[in-house]
Amino acid sequence: MLQLGNTKCSFLFCLGICILACSTIYMKANIFNSPLPSTDFLNHTNQSTPALKICDILPPAAPGFKCRRTDSKNISYETKLDANCILLQSDLHFIMAPLSKEEKDFPLAFIITIHKELETFVRLLRAIYAPQNVYCIHIDAKAPEEYKTSVRTLSTCFPNVFVASVNEKVTYAGFSRLQADINCMKDLVKSPTKWKRVINLCGQDFPIQTNLELVRYMQEPKWKDRNMTPGIKQPQTMKYRTEFQYEEVNGTHVAPKGQKKGPPPHSLTIYFGTAYYSLTRLFVEFVLKDKVAKDLLEWSRDTFSPDEHYWVTLNHMKEAPGNYVEGEWEGNVRAIKWRDQEGEAHQGCKVMKMKRTIHQGYLCLRD
């Protein structure tokens, strides 16, 4: 009987341990499956948010923040200047300490150009944020004042996040889009953060690599001390962009002026590529100071989508630090699915399974 009693006690003890372990696993699963934390500190009305239950994507707000859904499609955010930044960082689960020495020793700079979809921007920032990095936010000057106020309020909660000192009225495919990056670069070189690379993003991007994976990718032998500006010599089909003059019209679109341009300065060979890049700090300093770079920038003012020829052209100059004179489309730091190519070049986001070994960096679904 004594032996049976001991066996019964052992069984009950093991049963208790199992129940405790299962409860812990269940609670953790609920945490990971819970909705994303609150963005209540933002002051913005998002017209494109799909119908949801009242604020069901937002948990209870921390003191100093308030969320109010005005109807099934519009979410309005009210900013309070006494917002508690510590609670904000906690509620949104921002990473507030470097996750590895490897990342700490290789800080990155990010340029993020935004004009809409505030919730998307906050989720992007939270996903890429690390305290050793630095972030320059360029807000389109045409954006609503409440939107600008919300972004500035958010930036005050982080010492390494700031709004560009000069903000452009950005026009798609216009020179203003290139100038926005230049403005941020001028601010970033003054930053106390000794960043190694700068990456530019749009507000609708989202990472498909961790910060550590990006750091390791950029330090691979092929890319160590080398810029990534994917592109090729300007094909005949793209020559219209730089052979004729264009102008930005009312901040809405770019239109041809009907006049031909002169040849590029310093007999430069013009390249065509992506507007997105990973650039070394030395290259950025070169862009801001070198006469050839400045002359090319000025010549590009009345071209079409100059950000798609400016960076890649300079990166094919032998004088440019970190150049890749022989480079073509290699080193793409983003994966882009163009919406008008769905059904031809790709099968859409819901069908295609992303392979992280193929697509590097950031995904941006573009119209």
Side-chain angles (χ1 to χ4, degrees):
M1 292 296 292
L2 180 62
Q3 184 177 5
L4 181 60
N6 290 338
T7 301
K8 182 178 180 181
C9 289
S10 298
F11 170 76
L12 292 175
F13 177 77
C14 292
L15 180 62
I17 293 296
C18 290
I19 292 173
L20 179 61
C22 291
S23 299
T24 301
I25 293 172
Y26 176 78
M27 291 175 65
K28 288 186 176 180
N30 278 347
I31 291 175
F32 281 113
N33 292 325
S34 63
L36 283 171
S38 172
T39 52
D40 310 336
F41 55 94
L42 305 177
N43 180 6
H44 179 56
T45 300
N46 188 342
Q47 300 291 339
S48 61
T49 303
L52 296 168
K53 296 178 182 178
I54 295 180
C55 293
D56 61 355
I57 64 169
L58 308 174
F65 309 120
K66 181 181 179 181
C67 164
R68 181 180 75 252
R69 180 180 288 277
T70 56
D71 56 43
S72 62
K73 291 187 178 181
N74 298 332
I75 300 177
S76 76
Y77 298 96
E78 293 182 358
T79 302
K80 291 189 176 182
L81 297 179
D82 61 346
N84 188 317
C85 289
I86 294 178
L87 289 176
L88 163 67
Q89 295 164 3
S90 174
D91 285 355
L92 290 180
H93 303 292
F94 274 85
I95 297 171
M96 299 309 295
L99 297 182
S100 67
K101 185 178 185 301
E102 195 173 347
E103 293 170 271
K104 183 179 179 180
D105 293 342
F106 200 88
L108 302 174
F110 290 87
I111 297 173
I112 310 175
T113 54
I114 57 175
H115 68 286
K116 64 175 183 177
E117 297 180 13
L118 197 59
E119 291 179 65
T120 304
F121 162 65
V122 176
R123 291 164 190 259
L124 165 64
L125 181 62
R126 190 189 69 167
I128 66 174
Y129 183 82
Q132 73 275 5
N133 297 337
V134 61
Y135 305 83
C136 177
I137 314 301
H138 181 280
I139 311 172
D140 193 326
K142 303 191 304 296
E145 287 303 318
E146 63 268 25
Y147 181 95
K148 298 175 185 176
T149 300
S150 297
V151 176
R152 291 192 179 101
T153 300
L154 171 63
S155 68
T156 61
C157 284
F158 303 92
N160 55 341
V161 178
F162 64 89
V163 174
S165 58
V166 179
N167 292 283
E168 307 291 328
K169 291 183 178 179
V170 177
T171 303
Y172 182 77
F175 179 80
S176 55
R177 177 60 189 85
L178 173 58
Q179 186 66 57
D181 276 17
I182 297 290
N183 293 350
C184 262
M185 288 180 179
K186 290 179 179 179
D187 292 337
L188 285 170
V189 295
K190 300 175 184 177
S191 168
T193 301
K194 302 302 180 183
W195 50 272
K196 307 291 186 181
R197 298 281 188 125
V198 62
I199 300 169
N200 64 336
L201 305 173
C202 74
Q204 286 69 55
D205 282 345
F206 204 77
I208 56 176
Q209 283 194 323
T210 65
N211 190 81
L212 178 59
E213 287 174 316
L214 280 174
V215 166
R216 288 178 173 173
Y217 176 57
M218 293 173 187
Q219 294 189 90
E220 288 180 1
K222 182 175 182 177
W223 300 115
K224 188 175 177 61
D225 301 322
R226 177 177 279 174
N227 307 303
M228 300 180 193
T229 59
I232 57 175
K233 284 185 179 180
Q234 189 182 57
Q236 191 64 37
T237 54
M238 292 295 171
K239 287 188 179 297
Y240 71 92
R241 294 177 167 219
T242 56
E243 287 187 344
F244 296 90
Q245 294 181 345
Y246 294 82
E247 60 181 346
E248 298 183 23
V249 181
N250 299 324
T252 59
H253 66 283
V254 174
K257 295 176 67 175
Q259 299 173 339
K260 291 202 69 173
K261 279 183 62 63
H266 306 282
S267 301
L268 287 171
T269 299
I270 300 301
Y271 282 71
F272 165 77
T274 175
Y276 297 94
Y277 51 68
S278 166
L279 307 175
T280 66
R281 187 181 186 114
L282 287 177
F283 181 84
V284 171
E285 293 171 351
F286 167 83
V287 167
L288 298 179
K289 296 178 182 179
D290 183 76
K291 176 173 173 49
V292 175
K294 290 182 177 181
D295 290 346
L296 178 61
L297 183 67
E298 188 63 30
W299 180 84
S300 300
R301 283 186 180 275
D302 56 358
T303 61
F304 184 90
S305 198
D307 52 351
E308 294 187 347
H309 75 248
Y310 184 71
W311 308 110
V312 63
T313 296
L314 291 179
N315 197 32
H316 281 80
M317 290 175 52
K318 292 182 179 179
E319 300 81 5
N323 68 73
Y324 194 9
V325 176
E326 304 302 323
E328 293 190 351
W329 289 110
E330 311 97 310
N332 204 338
V333 292
R334 70 199 306 102
I336 300 177
K337 291 184 177 183
W338 297 99
R339 197 180 301 275
D340 61 355
Q341 295 177 359
E342 186 170 349
E344 298 176 4
H346 62 85
Q347 297 304 313
C349 291
K350 294 181 180 180
V351 176
M352 177 180 173
K353 294 182 178 179
M354 300 290 290
K355 291 186 178 180
R356 292 171 60 171
T357 56
I358 296 177
H359 297 290
Q360 304 292 347
Y362 295 81
L363 172 65
C364 189
L365 182 64
R366 311 295 291 278
D367 292 322

